[in-house]
């Protein structure tokens, strides 16, 4: 399919292979570039140890309960505007959307409670949307008035007005690392969606002009973007990862080179030498972490990767959203971790500043399970046979321990008294996590034949039975 710029000359295919209906594809394992810096390699091992991150999409758009940003793009209207049911005038809708900052006033926001909830339920890092494609900044930027501390935003006088600052500080105080989401596209600044260009009012994901024809304007956008990134990486404490969205903003895509490496290296040299970069879907030296979205790879990947998956159906808050149970979340986490990845579990906060109760219930169910079974999650690496529909495996090589999780999809399943754990390597001892009972077992060609105590098979099926396999004394 060809797309056209404003004077109807053909452009290369738009990034529908990268973003379809707002969901990003992800880079392949063989495209990953291993960093040379020993400090970055050390930090990637740290990242792989963490396993569970709390992701949040939050901004003025939460007031509408719509998908974040995407309805502003006319080219994406076929899927993103399904819930825009009060007007047929999309230019009027865009004005209404961009004016949402004038009513965004989340006075029930309690950053310390968010951080405590995350710490209590096993989250190890926090991934927050500092700015989505709509350009609204959730920090006290000096680059634009379209920000949470801007005079048009009623929340700007609140003690928690600089939302990124108070959140990052609160989560760090609980020992939780910070990952800063930042959209490389910005549909609010006139340096990207510039008015009066040949494209007219019909907007797409990219700039409203051809950067090759207007290099001075594109350079303004690059300077604007660099300044915003450096504000976050200079004034907001330690950042573990700069998590970059809008993969169509990249070298070789319609002239959209923002010289990302230049600003990342400047930050590493001046303020954040440990900084990881997740330039998602782009590949190359600044996609240190690969980021599947709303999906889990079919096969294990032996590179740093992170699936971002929602507790509800959408990334942004939805008034009628349905939330996953603790059992469902634990099973998602198990599939991700057993295939070598981390799970960034997304919650969309409400417009008033609270977290949805349904989402919290699911997260607390996951946290209760992790409190007992987390030793088989954190700090582990992949281990054959990895993942089946009934089993998940992880290992800690330094302790000669393999973890085998028998997965029960619902509480009405009847656990079998005898199980064959499909692990065929030599094992010296088998223990049941939660009781630490040492189980008798037989090594067979199919795996380990174990017998569960009766107490473990009575009542509702648990989320998992988890076995500690000691492979060497």
């Amino acid at each position: 399919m060809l797309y056209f710029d404003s004077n109807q000359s053909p452009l290369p295919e738009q990034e529908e292979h990268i973003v379809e209906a707002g969901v990003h594809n992800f880079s392949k394992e063989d495209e990953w570039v291993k960093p040379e810096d020993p400090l970055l390699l050390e930090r990637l091992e740290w990242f792989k140890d963490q396993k569970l991150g709390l992701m949040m999409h939050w901004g003025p758009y939460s007031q509408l309960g719509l998908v974040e940003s995407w309805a502003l793009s006319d080219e994406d209207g076929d899927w993103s505007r399904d819930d825009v049911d009060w007007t047929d005038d999309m230019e009027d809708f865009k004005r209404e959307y961009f004016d949402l900052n004038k009513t965004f006033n989340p006075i029930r926001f309690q950053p310390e409670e968010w951080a405590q909830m995350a710490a209590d339920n096993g989250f190890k890092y926090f991934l927050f949307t500092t700015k989505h494609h709509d350009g609204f900044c959730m920090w006290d930027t000096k680059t634009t008035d379209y920000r949470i501390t801007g005079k048009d935003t009623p929340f700007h006088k609140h003690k928690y007005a600089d939302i990124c600052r108070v959140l990052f500080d609160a989560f760090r105080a609980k020992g939780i690392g910070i990952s800063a989401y930042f959209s490389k596209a910005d549909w609010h600044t006139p340096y990207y969606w510039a008015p009066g260009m040949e494209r007219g009012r019909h907007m797409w994901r990219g700039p409203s002009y051809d950067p090759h024809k207007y290099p001075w304007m594109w350079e303004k956008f690059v300077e604007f973007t660099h300044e915003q990134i450096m504000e976050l990486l200079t004034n907001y404490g330690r950042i573990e990862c700069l998590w970059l969205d809008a993969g169509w903003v990249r070298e070789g895509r319609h002239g959209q080179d923002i010289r990302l490496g230049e600003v990342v290296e400047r930050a590493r040299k001046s303020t954040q030498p440990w900084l990881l970069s997740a330039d998602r879907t782009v590949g190359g030296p600044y996609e240190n972490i690969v980021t599947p979205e709303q999906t889990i790879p079919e096969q294990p990947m032996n590179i740093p990767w992170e699936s971002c998956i929602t507790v509800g159906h959408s990334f942004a808050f939805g008034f009628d959203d349905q939330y996953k149970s603790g059992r469902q979340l634990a099973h998602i986490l198990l599939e991700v971790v057993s295939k070598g990845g981390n799970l960034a579990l997304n919650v969309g906060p409400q417009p008033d500043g609270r977290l949805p109760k349904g989402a919290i219930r699911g997260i607390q169910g996951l946290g209760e399970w992790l409190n007992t079974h987390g030793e088989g999650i954190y700090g582990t690496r992949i281990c054959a046979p990895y993942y089946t529909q009934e089993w998940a495996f992880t290992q800690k090589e330094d302790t000669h321990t393999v973890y085998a999780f028998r997965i029960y999809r619902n509480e009405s399943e009847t656990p079998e008294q005898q199980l064959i754990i499909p692990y065929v390597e030599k094992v010296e001892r088998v223990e049941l996590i939660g009781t630490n009972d040492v189980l008798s077992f037989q090594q067979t060609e199919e795996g380990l034949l174990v017998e569960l105590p009766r107490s473990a098979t009575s009542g509702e099926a648990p989320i998992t039975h988890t076995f500690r396999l000691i492979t060497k004394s």
Side-chain angles (χ1 to χ4, degrees):
M1 183 175 183
L2 288 176
Y3 287 80
F4 295 87
D5 71 7
S6 46
N7 62 7
Q8 298 299 301
S9 61
L11 286 174
E13 189 175 84
Q14 191 185 9
E15 279 66 26
E16 75 282 352
H17 65 291
I18 292 175
V19 185
E20 185 173 350
V23 175
H24 287 66
N25 201 340
F26 60 95
S27 301
K28 296 180 175 63
E29 181 175 2
D30 59 9
E31 296 173 337
W32 185 73
V33 176
K34 184 177 181 179
E36 296 181 358
D37 185 340
L39 179 55
L40 296 183
L41 293 175
E42 176 187 312
R43 298 312 296 165
L44 285 172
E45 291 303 310
W46 168 88
F47 173 80
K48 290 193 286 186
D49 284 342
Q50 306 310 297
K51 302 306 180 189
L52 183 60
L54 180 63
M55 186 180 198
M56 287 187 179
H57 280 67
W58 196 34
Y61 49 79
S62 64
Q63 298 171 96
L64 296 181
L66 295 179
V67 63
E68 65 290 341
S69 297
W70 286 102
L72 292 169
S73 169
D74 296 295
E75 289 284 349
D76 293 282
D78 58 338
W79 64 268
S80 66
R81 294 173 176 173
D82 292 346
D83 293 327
V84 181
D85 56 4
W86 63 92
T87 181
D88 293 323
D89 185 339
M90 288 302 107
E91 291 308 306
D92 191 40
F93 165 76
K94 291 176 191 176
R95 286 189 290 272
E96 291 174 335
Y97 183 105
F98 281 126
D99 280 347
L100 287 170
N101 67 309
K102 297 176 182 177
T103 53
F104 189 48
N105 195 23
I107 59 172
R108 301 181 77 174
F109 172 47
Q110 294 178 284
E112 292 84 3
E113 286 200 7
W114 290 15
Q116 188 65 58
M117 184 276 297
D120 288 345
N121 291 287
F123 291 91
K124 301 301 182 183
Y125 61 98
F126 178 53
L127 172 52
F128 185 70
T129 46
T130 67
K131 181 185 78 167
H132 208 264
H133 314 327
D134 60 16
F136 186 80
C137 297
M138 297 289 276
W139 80 97
D140 187 27
T141 180
K142 302 300 185 285
T143 62
T144 176
D145 289 333
Y146 199 57
R147 65 184 193 268
I148 191 65
T149 55
K151 65 183 187 313
D152 289 339
T153 305
F155 197 63
H156 79 278
K157 291 184 177 180
H158 196 278
K159 64 179 179 178
Y160 294 146
D162 192 348
I163 283 176
C164 282
R165 182 176 304 284
V166 296
L167 278 176
F168 291 176
D169 287 350
F171 276 76
R172 276 196 215 96
K174 299 297 181 183
I176 295 172
I178 304 300
S179 186
Y181 171 113
F182 181 89
S183 172
K184 295 180 292 181
D186 189 313
W187 297 341
H188 184 268
T189 179
Y191 303 136
Y192 197 78
W193 275 5
M197 306 304 286
E198 299 96 326
R199 175 173 280 278
R201 295 180 175 180
H202 189 81
M203 293 303 178
W204 67 323
R205 298 167 189 170
S208 64
Y209 59 93
D210 184 347
H212 293 114
K213 294 181 180 179
Y214 300 91
W216 60 270
M217 187 175 292
W218 182 254
E219 184 58 28
K220 283 282 190 182
F221 178 67
V222 173
E223 292 173 1
F224 169 83
T225 304
H226 283 203
E227 186 174 352
Q228 288 195 333
I229 290 173
M230 287 306 297
E231 281 182 340
L232 288 167
L233 296 179
T234 303
N235 303 330
Y236 286 80
R238 178 172 177 133
I239 308 292
E240 305 296 345
C241 180
L242 177 64
W243 204 95
L244 297 149
D245 206 357
W248 61 90
V249 182
R250 60 190 289 188
E251 184 179 5
R253 296 284 178 180
H254 325 319
Q256 293 190 76
D257 182 8
I258 60 167
R259 304 196 303 276
L260 178 65
E262 182 181 308
V263 68
V264 170
E265 294 303 334
R266 191 196 327 169
R268 285 173 176 168
K269 289 177 182 176
S270 61
T271 59
Q272 314 263 0
W274 48 77
L275 182 70
L276 299 174
S277 171
D279 193 13
R280 50 194 319 236
T281 76
V282 173
Y286 297 103
E287 191 176 13
N288 303 144
I289 298 164
V290 172
T291 57
E293 181 175 318
Q294 294 287 50
T295 191
I296 303 170
E298 290 186 9
Q299 302 298 326
M301 293 200 297
N302 198 20
I303 60 172
W305 65 273
E306 167 194 74
S307 275
C308 39
I309 294 178
T310 54
V311 179
H313 287 112
S314 60
F315 284 97
F317 171 73
F319 288 95
D320 58 353
D321 210 347
Q322 302 296 310
Y323 297 100
K324 298 176 179 69
S325 67
R327 182 182 296 266
Q328 290 172 302
L329 296 177
H331 293 164
I332 290 169
L333 178 62
L334 276 169
E335 182 174 356
V336 169
V337 170
S338 64
K339 291 180 177 179
N342 286 12
L343 174 61
L345 193 59
N346 183 89
V347 178
Q350 296 177 177
D352 64 1
R354 292 178 298 163
L355 300 180
K357 290 181 179 179
I360 291 176
R361 281 194 295 270
I363 286 171
Q364 288 174 336
L366 172 62
E368 289 173 8
W369 179 82
L370 281 167
N371 190 48
T372 299
H373 303 265
E375 70 167 270
I377 298 295
Y378 304 113
T380 61
R381 297 294 184 268
I382 56 175
C383 172
Y386 313 112
Y387 177 82
T388 71
Q389 293 303 311
E390 292 187 340
W391 291 92
F393 292 85
T394 63
Q395 68 175 329
K396 289 181 178 173
E397 294 179 343
D398 57 339
T399 61
H400 306 294
T401 304
V402 170
Y403 297 91
F405 300 84
R406 173 60 168 91
I407 296 167
Y408 298 100
R409 296 295 172 186
N410 59 69
E411 61 274 6
S412 63
E413 284 191 50
T414 303
E416 298 175 353
Q417 199 83 38
Q418 285 192 332
L419 290 173
I420 291 183
I421 303 173
Y423 183 77
V424 297
E425 302 300 324
K426 182 175 174 53
V427 167
E428 296 193 355
R429 192 165 73 253
V430 177
E431 300 168 352
L432 182 63
I433 288 181
T435 67
N436 290 326
D437 289 346
V438 178
L439 306 180
S440 60
F441 69 96
Q442 297 177 38
Q443 198 115 25
T444 73
E445 290 184 359
E446 295 179 322
L448 305 170
L449 176 62
V450 300
E451 184 162 343
L452 289 167
R454 289 194 179 277
S455 60
T457 59
S458 60
E460 292 184 349
I463 292 174
T464 64
H465 278 128
T466 306
F467 302 90
R468 189 188 295 118
L469 313 181
I470 309 302
T471 60
K472 187 185 294 185
S473 58

